[in-house]
Amino acid sequence: MKVGNYALQSGNFETMKQFLSDELLPAKLAFLQSVAMQLEPFLTLFQVEKLLLPFLHSEYYHLINSIAHRFVRKATMDKINNACHISELNVDDVNNLKKMRKVDIGFAAVNACKSMKEGAVLTFRRECRQFFILLFKKMNQKFSLNNATVKGESCLSPSVMLSSVKQSYRFCYLGAHAERCNIWHKW
């Protein structure tokens, strides 16, 4: 491409030219926006200077559970009823995953795909499912719901305090973690 007397030949220009010529661009942007809208409330909630550690465990469980619902089969999700189960979910097993047509890519992405060829849409849905798998793995790798400190600190959450069994279990969990880390002797 020429602009005036100059020919644009940089690698960045070629990448952008190829990106803008992609017929799936509107669908891809809509899909990423739906994922961002799902993640943003969690990120916004915990980027404040308030003590929110007691709520981290339950909020993170709800977030990762809602992401899993978008690409994991309903029968598999029905078996998951606590944080340990979702942490142990094997997303590499194809039997646990939804079929390509059932993956939740978001309403706007579905609308953007209506005018496209069936093969391109299935490839796009496969890429979206792969994105969800990688996102789920990365979230579990970076932050485990079985993290002793976070799970133990949740005993201070009002919803856990109302359940004496849960509170006792989480408080004991925190105490055992503190004992393993030799925290009590520092006080």
Side-chain angles (χ1 to χ4, degrees):
M1 176 178 207
K2 275 188 132 182
V3 177
N5 293 335
Y6 301 101
L8 297 175
Q9 295 178 351
S10 74
N12 290 338
F13 177 75
E14 290 301 320
T15 302
M16 285 304 295
K17 189 172 147 184
Q18 183 181 9
F19 179 71
L20 293 173
S21 66
D22 185 1
E23 72 168 325
L24 289 171
L25 180 62
K28 289 177 180 178
L29 292 175
F31 168 71
L32 290 174
Q33 183 179 17
S34 75
V35 173
M37 288 173 56
Q38 192 172 8
L39 296 172
E40 184 182 23
F42 176 83
L43 297 173
T44 304
L45 177 65
F46 289 100
Q47 291 181 358
V48 294
E49 292 186 23
K50 297 177 184 172
L51 180 61
L52 295 174
L53 187 60
F55 306 104
L56 183 60
H57 187 266
S58 64
E59 290 294 325
Y60 191 74
Y61 172 74
H62 291 301
L63 174 65
I64 202 160
N65 196 25
S66 68
I67 288 171
H69 272 286
R70 293 183 71 174
F71 71 102
V72 176
R73 286 182 14 185
K74 184 175 177 359
T76 304
M77 289 305 294
D78 288 343
K79 296 175 187 174
I80 295 172
N81 57 8
N82 64 34
C84 290
H85 292 149
I86 197 126
S87 294
E88 295 167 358
L89 177 61
N90 182 8
V91 293
D92 290 325
D93 184 2
V94 178
N95 296 326
N96 290 335
L97 304 177
K98 290 181 178 180
K99 298 201 181 309
M100 297 304 165
R101 297 186 200 294
K102 299 287 185 184
V103 173
D104 180 6
I105 61 173
F107 180 75
V110 170
N111 278 344
C113 288
K114 285 185 178 178
S115 63
M116 295 171 198
K117 297 175 187 168
E118 185 74 22
V121 173
L122 281 177
T123 301
F124 171 63
R125 284 181 173 273
R126 183 177 294 112
E127 290 172 0
C128 291
R129 187 172 79 171
Q130 189 61 33
F131 175 85
F132 279 132
I133 290 169
L134 293 173
L135 177 65
F136 186 85
K137 286 180 177 180
K138 184 61 80 173
M139 289 175 73
N140 271 330
Q141 176 190 0
K142 292 292 182 182
F143 180 82
S144 171
L145 281 165
N146 295 327
N147 180 300
T149 305
V150 172
K151 193 170 185 177
E153 289 286 335
S154 68
C155 71
L156 301 174
S157 169
S159 63
V160 173
M161 286 181 159
L162 291 175
S163 169
S164 60
V165 174
K166 264 188 182 178
Q167 184 188 25
S168 174
Y169 169 74
R170 299 271 173 92
F171 191 73
C172 289
Y173 197 84
L174 180 63
H177 175 66
E179 188 66 36
R180 278 192 309 273
C181 294
N182 205 14
I183 291 174
W184 298 125
H185 301 290
K186 294 178 184 176
W187 286 356

